[in-house]
Amino acid sequence: MTTTEKPQEFKVVGTRPIRHDGIDKVLGRAVYGSDVRLAGMIYGAVLRSPYAHAKITKIDTSKAEAMPGVFAVMSGKDMPLVASGALDLGETVDDTAFTSDRVMAHDKVVFKGHPVAAVAAIDQNTGLEALKLIEVEYEVLKPVISLEDAMAPGAVVIHEGLIGDDLGEKVNNTNIAVHNRSEFGDPEAAFAKSATVLERTFIISRAHQGYIEPHASTAFWAPDGKITVWTTTQAPFGVRKTVSALLEQPLSDIKVIPTEIGGGFGGKIPVYLEPVAAVLSKKAGRPVKITMDRRAVFEASGPGPGGTIKVKMGVDDKGKITAATADIRYGAGAYPGASINPATAGIFACYEVPNVRIDSYDVVINMSKTAAYRAPGTPQATFASETLVGELCEIIGMSPMDFHLLNVSREGTRRPDGPVFPRIGNEACLEAIQGSEHFKSTLEPSTESKLRGRGMASGYWNGIGNKSSVTINVNEDGLVSLIEGNPDIGGTRTTIAMQAAEILGLPAEDVHPAVGDTDSIGYSDLTAGSRTTYATGTAAIEAAKMVIDEMKKRVAMIWETEYGNIEHVDGLFVSKVAPDHKFTFKEAAGKLGQTGGPVAMTGTVNVRGSGGGSFGTHLVDVEVDRDTGKVEILRYTAAQDAGKAVHPSYVEGQFQGGAVQGIGWALNEEYYTSDDGVMVNSTFLDYRMPTSLDVPMIETIIVEVANTNHPFGVRGIGETSIVPPAPAVANALANAIGVRLYQTPMNPGRILEALATKKTGK
Amino acid sequence: MTQTPEQSVRKVSVQCTLNGQPTEFLAAPYLSLLEVLRETLGLTGTKEGCNDGNCGACTVNVDGRIVDSCLMLGAEAEGKTIETIEGVAPAGGLHPLQQAFLEEAALQCGICTPGFLVSAKALLEREPDADEPRIRLWLAGNLCRCTGYDKIIRAVEKARDEMK
Ligand code: FES
Ligand code: FES
């Protein structure tokens, strides 16, 4: 079902063509990170720290170097620590010194799996054998794993050089990298006058993006100093910048060729292997490929942060929100950078809140540095706020739908962290769910052994705009090729090409899109922040308009008339002065040779903001087995505002995929960590992500409230869908079993415990 | 000069039928079938997601059964008939499953796709009438992190109907 507002007429946008890169992917021909094979290529392997926190007192690589089949060995001394500085990656800013230390340890290891040395060898197995010959001596330090330990006065300090920022004050000797606050109004006074006030504390598990393709990078450092990197990344230009900063080489000497990418969800923004492969390549004089194994992906790449969130909300006697406060604490991992700011933006974004205060803490602990994970920081925060709302509604006897609609944020509402919303689809999503068959259906009553419940939650993700470039080349047969700089993680070649096709008056199939390397396309920010279809699509529209404009000039030349007399209507070039003069795009393209030569146009944009972001509302029915605590998802509906769905199938796919990732986080996914900071479930067997058996079909409703910041009204939609699932499931579970859970994952053990607590009355 | 691990063991010679062609390769006895396919034979359509039998990205068909090729030794391929993703499409065309995956948008990143196609093909060859619960059960050994499975299941159902 699609609800439309302010219809614009489209020919291509809104249709469902087959994606251009699909054929290679169903044939097994698409080249992903570890599929790269180059002449003379050798294989790298990384030695990782067995300790979460230790000083390195000695590294002896001589035996490994002497082993037959080994071409190069490196450690921190071969990749010296660089000075501190800002590393702007488009969506986030990292520190160059911390990044340098994270990629290859120098004096100290700060997480289990921290790289301490690496080898390059004739084949993978020789490399793995060589790692065993590297002797590393450690002085083991006390690891800081829990937030409480990390934040306690007198805590073991992980980075002596870290200067904390506590509401703008500098702090030394701390693990608290940042403490921020957003506030307005007077929440305390408002709570005092409220009819009902509820406060709860929630614990959120650290969870991994779980992309199926492990990280893999290949590098060749040529004798002339040029470095070529083939890598599976969301951010080719970010890789270029990071490699340049870490190896202190000129930016333009580095070419990054993005391979196909087997999932990322934010986790393939940071650099891990690229500089290591480059250093090994320089030593060996050959291209070096490194592939991470799954255990290293879990232990040493960046999942989304876990943490503790305290939320308090007050309402008047009508159920209108009077005030809300939150205290958000995330474990950043071994270097600062947990996604606390988007958490602050998102936690109460679905509501009009007159008095608010949100404190947030970015806390360093001895685990791998967290990274962006789909709507970074926001599913965690929203689990807290939306589950609290569910309980509040129970207490005041109001339906969650009525509560949402009464308090809904809309155009003109001030988001708790400051910005005022432009036109948004929050209310439209609620209404879409309210009108859905699912909402109107009656849940089958519980039985003795099966407890059933229904729950809902809303969520928000703002997203970003930023910089993109798209080049369109017109071929003499009237088809066009399009080059863009955003790795295609889920169909964006096609959604970008479709927007160009719409302007050019061509079918989607006649635009042939390709993802360029960093030397062949203008700067483009990362594939992240729900920006690719939205912002790079805008660049494609720009480029297509430039093409049409240039072709009008050429057509005018042929018809010997003024440029101003040529129009482009319904895919045809027509003359205002000679009505029988008509050219199709193909005909005009065939004449470019005689009118000045090739037409190739590049559109570049720096899109400001997302235009308000995308809201979504999810509704879920669950069934709990009273004996085993196992949860079955009976029915699931996701409604979300797409502004204008460019390719509805891929929009639905984003809703469905995010919903199922969120269900996984809600029910099963967490890092089990020992006291010494070792993740004990670092396989897909023990880190249990949903399989096809664990979920039903996911019903979708595409809501379209046009984005005023995009020519076609498009909104970025990739991330919002992971925000509502956990609280929707939590609310459904409470409805089913009559007790509330305040911690993810809500696994069978916790559910049985909750049921037992209920029986004994605490 | 001493030898690398691969040189220090005697390689085994293996003869099998791979994607319809008689194939012979030499492999160190400890190499998995996945390593042999990807590294020795250059067939990189079979993917590695975990190397421990828990993701299904490396699924191949061995004598009509689906196998995680990371869990089978290359040497064990002796005398077997093996089909990988590179053998799924008939010459110059697509298998109905491949066509249905494209039409139903059943892939996002596509890394899981070869494994799903090989698994689903084996299912439909055995059980041309497999229904949704059966398809879900059969494919439960293949992880997809992008799609939430909905469109994959629909694509298999579509191919099933078209193959009748
Ligand atoms: S790579 Fe074989 S099952 Fe994952
Ligand atoms: S499409 Fe990405 S894992 Fe399935």
Side-chain angles (χ1 to χ4, degrees), chain A residues 238-282:
Chain A
V239 170
R240 183 177 72 169
K241 192 178 286 181
T242 309
V243 170
S244 165
L246 266 47
L247 302 181
E248 301 186 291
Q249 296 298 311
L251 188 83
S252 297
D253 278 357
I254 298 157
K255 172 157 103 174
V256 177
I257 304 176
T259 64
E260 294 304 326
I261 174 167
F265 312 104
K268 284 183 185 153
I269 299 169
V271 153
Y272 296 100
L273 303 171
E274 294 88 342
V276 178
V279 170
L280 288 169
S281 169
K282 187 180 192 188

Side-chain angles (χ1 to χ4, degrees), chain A residues 79-142:
Chain A
M79 215 192 98
L81 193 66
V82 301
S84 180
L87 185 63
D88 183 354
L89 297 174
E91 197 182 22
T92 52
V93 180
D94 276 351
D95 177 79
T96 45
F98 279 145
T99 305
S100 165
D101 199 49
R102 172 174 67 69
V103 170
M104 186 59 67
H106 292 87
D107 303 328
K108 219 179 142 179
V109 290
V110 288
F111 60 96
K112 161 87 162 66
H114 199 160
V116 292
V119 302
I122 189 71
D123 56 57
Q124 191 66 58
N125 290 298
T126 305
L128 294 174
E129 290 301 317
L131 291 184
K132 296 180 192 162
L133 301 179
I134 299 176
E135 291 162 16
V136 187
E137 284 173 14
Y138 298 95
E139 181 190 320
V140 179
L141 303 169
K142 187 177 176 334

Side-chain angles (χ1 to χ4, degrees), chain A residues 514-569:
Chain A
V515 179
D517 61 59
T518 54
D519 276 359
S520 62
I521 182 68
Y523 182 87
S524 297
D525 272 312
L526 65 185
T527 293
S530 297
R531 67 175 292 279
T532 306
T533 296
Y534 163 68
T536 308
T538 306
I541 291 170
E542 285 300 309
K545 284 184 176 163
M546 291 162 78
V547 165
I548 293 297
D549 200 50
E550 179 61 25
M551 288 183 62
K552 277 180 172 170
K553 288 182 195 152
R554 306 301 182 84
V555 168
M557 216 183 280
I558 295 167
W559 290 338
E560 295 177 342
T561 178
E562 299 293 309
Y563 159 77
N565 288 336
I566 309 297
E567 283 183 314
H568 182 247
V569 199

Side-chain angles (χ1 to χ4, degrees), chain A residues 684, chain B residues 34 47-59 68-71:
Chain A
F684 278 144
Chain B
L34 177 62
K47 304 301 180 192
E48 177 183 324
C50 66
N51 207 23
D52 59 14
N54 285 301
C55 76
C58 65
T59 306
D68 288 335
S69 61
C70 67
L71 293 184

Side-chain angles (χ1 to χ4, degrees), chain A residues 212, chain B residues 107-112 143-147:
Chain A
I212 305 299
Chain B
L107 50 143
Q108 284 177 29
C109 80
I111 196 81
C112 67
L143 288 177
C144 175
R145 191 58 156 174
C146 298
T147 64

